[in-house]
Amino acid sequence: MNIPASLKYTSSHEWISCDGKTGKVGITDHAQKELGDIVFVELPEVGKTVSAGKACAVVESVKTASDIYTPVSGTITAVNDGLTSRPELINEDCYTKGWIFEVKLSDPSELNNLLDANGYREVVQ
Amino acid sequence: MSTKTSLYEKHVQLGAKVVDFHGWEMPIQYSGIIEEHNAVRSKAGLFDLSHMGEIEVSGPQSYEFLNFLLCNNLDRLEYDGRIIYTGMLNEKGGFIDDLLVYRKQRDSFLLVVNASNREEDFSWMQKQAPPFDVRLNDISMKTGLVAVQGPASASIMADILDYPFENLYYYHFIETAFKRIPVIISRTGYTGEDGFELYADWDKLGIIWDALYSAGQKYGLLPIGLGARDTLRLEARYPLHGNDISPDVTPLEAGLGWIVDLNKPDFIGKKVLSSQKKNGVAKKLIGFTMAERGIPRHGYTIFSGDSAVGEVTSGTMSPSLSTGIGMGYVSSCVLEKNENLTVDIHRSRRCLTLHKGPFVSSNIYRKTVKERI
């Protein structure tokens, strides 16, 4: 299973890649495999204020709709519009082309609450 | 506790994701729901449906018993080898189950029922049987079922069995043998495509599965899980018991008036259905496509303006149409006003477009008895 060491994770299967100020968020390889063919993504609005652990996007497979929880609090600064026409990018490349939204962190210390790759591996094993 | 079909090990070897389905460990998908769905629409797919229930009804008064138990008219089974789709209703006219009836002989029938309702169906039948001279036999746990569906299915069948399948019409069956294994083969299915369902002894079913799987390879056949089975049946607009029909809805509310014969002698539920026929129904099952982005799902609320007027019973992203499709019940008075309806999806209301008939045109086998030479 692909769990890049450079990322931080939530136990609800989101990843975040962060430089300390803004972070890109997506779902993990484990999550996309469990969901199967992804056919729809509901993106958050740019400029929206979000708080850690709250649902702010929806990823849908053929069978189910799954809420995506932001790992950190802040403001949405960008969304991956490519997912509107090609939601399957999440299946094909969940850690780069399949990112979902970008958030400007309001409290960078929240990053300390997240799992590292080893911690996340324990969650999914 | 979960039950496995006799093909369980084959599913695991084929890489299936297995889930619990009403107490059965069934493959939900193998390669992926969309790929499997498209294989059935364009080539062929192979299904293990051994969880379905099979109940034999035999004895001198089988015909009278079934005509009392079921809402369709058994007279439509004019000769041996014919099948009808019908409903087993409660006193309120609601669906205990929907099922197929196979006429083997004038006094011998096979009923094929949903896995989730099998035990309830059988006890209901036992309760209704006493005035009639009939024998009931639940053979579900020794009867396996596989289906081959899709445009290539007739070619695949012809490759494994020397039979003129062009003469096996839709909703007809034959009793024959494959490698000395007795098998019932019917031209039926739940996909909207041409296809066959094959019933055989539980322990011998693997031989038939293997033969169909091998023969199908050159046509692009894939094994199909319950995930694609659901998207295929929904595109064909076949109702699913537990979602679109239930003990609380009647065939008339579900738009299935064609499986009800109010002119035949008394049958269970007739009183309520006659009254609904006369006075109209309070709610109706609609089909719809999404006019805006979003996927409708079971349980989502349907609105007319700010009023909740119904509920989605089945919904999915249609792999063939690449749009959200669904079915649901809406109160009849709202439908008469012809107002715009919306579905509440992820806390926003999105417009739907009513759709009559199947979402994808049906490719069932069209040749009929009248063309028989």
Side-chain angles (χ1 to χ4, degrees):
Chain A
M1 189 176 307
N2 186 6
I3 305 176
S6 58
L7 305 175
K8 294 267 197 179
Y9 299 89
T10 66
S11 54
S12 52
H13 312 288
E14 292 88 7
W15 57 262
I16 180 167
S17 110
C18 193
D19 61 7
K21 289 177 184 161
T22 60
K24 264 189 183 172
V25 176
I27 64 168
T28 65
D29 188 37
H30 172 80
Q32 69 82 14
K33 276 191 185 134
E34 284 295 307
L35 285 168
D37 293 328
I38 289 165
V39 292
F40 187 84
V41 181
E42 187 91 51
L43 296 163
E45 278 173 45
V46 173
K48 189 182 174 187
T49 307
V50 294
S51 47
K54 290 287 185 329
C56 68
V58 183
V59 170
E60 302 200 36
S61 66
V62 181
K63 292 296 288 178
T64 54
S66 303
D67 281 323
I68 306 304
Y69 305 96
T70 175
V72 292
S73 306
T75 308
I76 303 290
T77 50
V79 295
N80 184 357
D81 287 320
L83 296 176
T84 303
S85 56
R86 293 200 58 207
E88 67 274 17
L89 285 173
I90 294 176
N91 292 120
E92 292 165 9
D93 189 2
C94 66
Y95 292 117
T96 46
K97 288 181 187 160
W99 68 279
I100 298 172
F101 59 86
E102 189 183 73
V103 56
K104 186 178 173 209
L105 278 63
S106 57
D107 179 6
S109 71
E110 285 175 351
L111 290 169
N112 301 327
N113 305 333
L114 301 174
L115 301 163
D116 63 11
N118 286 331
Y120 180 64
R121 184 167 281 115
E122 280 175 30
V123 170
V124 295
Q125 273 170 0
Chain B
M1 202 187 75
S2 270
T3 313
K4 293 174 174 146
T5 78
S6 63
L7 306 178
Y8 177 82
E9 293 303 329
K10 295 185 191 292
H11 303 318
V12 172
Q13 280 165 20
L14 288 166
K17 187 187 282 185
V18 173
V19 298
D20 177 272
F21 181 80
H22 299 291
W24 291 85
E25 287 189 49
M26 297 302 289
I28 184 93
Q29 66 168 62
Y30 302 82
S31 52
I33 293 175
I34 293 176
E35 188 181 353
E36 294 166 32
H37 179 104
N38 292 337
V40 174
R41 289 272 178 259
S42 62
K43 297 163 186 162
L46 185 59
F47 302 71
D48 176 11
L49 305 173
S50 298
H51 59 308
M52 299 289 285
E54 294 85 11
I55 298 168
E56 287 177 334
V57 177
S58 58
Q61 289 188 298
S62 301
Y63 169 89
E64 289 77 9
F65 169 64
L66 290 175
N67 233 7
F68 174 69
L69 182 78
L70 307 171
C71 61
N72 211 333
N73 196 332
L74 267 275
D75 284 350
R76 292 182 184 174
L77 291 175
E78 293 153 322
Y79 46 85
D80 300 345
R82 286 212 69 171
I83 303 166
I84 49 165
Y85 173 67
T86 184
M88 191 187 299
L89 310 181
N90 56 32
E91 302 287 356
K92 297 184 300 173
F95 279 98
I96 293 170
D97 206 356
D98 63 336
L99 65 150
L100 296 182
V101 180
Y102 288 58
R103 173 172 154 169
K104 297 174 100 172
Q105 290 164 29
R106 182 71 174 74
D107 57 359
S108 172
F109 298 85
L110 178 70
L111 276 49
V112 182
V113 303
N114 283 298
S116 51
N117 298 328
R118 174 175 64 92
E119 285 167 5
E120 199 182 329
D121 291 348
F122 194 66
S123 54
W124 177 256
M125 289 171 70
Q126 284 177 313
K127 193 176 151 195
Q128 304 301 333
F132 300 93
D133 186 0
V134 291
R135 287 184 303 278
L136 307 180
N137 192 10
D138 183 354
I139 56 167
S140 303
M141 299 311 289
K142 58 179 183 183
T143 307
L145 169 58
V146 295
V148 57
Q149 300 275 302
S153 50
S155 303
I156 294 166
M157 290 297 293
D159 284 357
I160 69 160
L161 203 66
D162 184 18
Y163 183 85
F165 284 106
E166 64 275 16
N167 293 333
L168 180 57
Y169 310 121
Y170 190 55
Y171 269 65
H172 285 68
F173 70 97
I174 52 168
E175 293 183 81
T176 181
F178 174 72
K179 293 189 176 173
R180 295 187 184 166
I181 304 162
V183 58
I184 290 175
I185 302 174
S186 61
R187 200 149 203 160
T188 47
Y190 197 44
T191 61
E193 299 298 326
D194 189 15
F196 301 84
E197 296 183 295
L198 296 90
Y199 302 81
D201 186 89
W202 187 266
D203 297 325
K204 304 279 169 49
L205 190 69
I207 296 168
I208 294 170
W209 169 279
D210 287 344
L212 288 167
Y213 188 82
S214 305
Q217 289 312 299
K218 70 175 175 183
Y219 300 95
L221 172 142
L222 291 181
I224 313 295
L226 295 180
R229 179 168 162 82
D230 193 53
T231 54
L232 288 159
R233 71 91 192 166
L234 188 45
E235 282 187 348
R237 203 167 163 175
Y238 295 142
L240 171 65
H241 194 277
N243 282 34
D244 315 301
I245 54 177
S246 73
D248 297 321
V249 303
T250 72
L252 298 181
E253 292 164 337
L256 294 170
W258 62 274
I259 68 167
V260 176
D261 187 348
L262 291 171
N263 297 319
K264 72 169 181 171
D266 192 33
F267 65 94
I268 301 167
K270 184 177 182 182
K271 208 170 159 186
V272 173
L273 295 180
S274 299
S275 154
Q276 284 190 341
K277 178 87 178 174
K278 194 173 150 204
N279 304 316
V281 292
K283 61 182 176 188
K284 277 183 191 164
L285 186 65
I286 59 163
F288 61 89
T289 58
M290 292 307 297
E292 296 186 77
R293 291 184 80 239
I295 306 175
R297 306 271 183 195
H298 177 80
Y300 287 7
T301 305
I302 298 172
F303 282 86
S304 169
D306 287 330
S307 316
V309 294
E311 193 174 289
V312 177
T313 50
S314 286
T316 192
M317 171 65 84
S318 158
S320 302
L321 304 175
S322 296
T323 188
I325 60 171
M327 294 195 273
Y329 283 93
V330 173
S331 62
S332 305
C333 53
V334 170
L335 290 172
E336 279 158 23
K337 289 186 208 146
N338 209 16
E339 286 169 357
N340 289 335
L341 300 177
T342 57
V343 190
D344 189 340
I345 299 177
H346 311 317
R347 294 165 293 279
S348 82
R349 291 181 202 154
R350 307 179 198 204
C351 292
L352 61 80
T353 307
L354 292 178
H355 185 96
K356 286 197 193 310
F359 296 103
V360 171
S361 61
S362 166
N363 295 309
I364 56 168
Y365 191 57
R366 303 279 178 197
K367 194 172 168 188
T368 64
V369 180
K370 284 169 193 154
E371 294 167 32
R372 188 186 277 180
I373 299 161

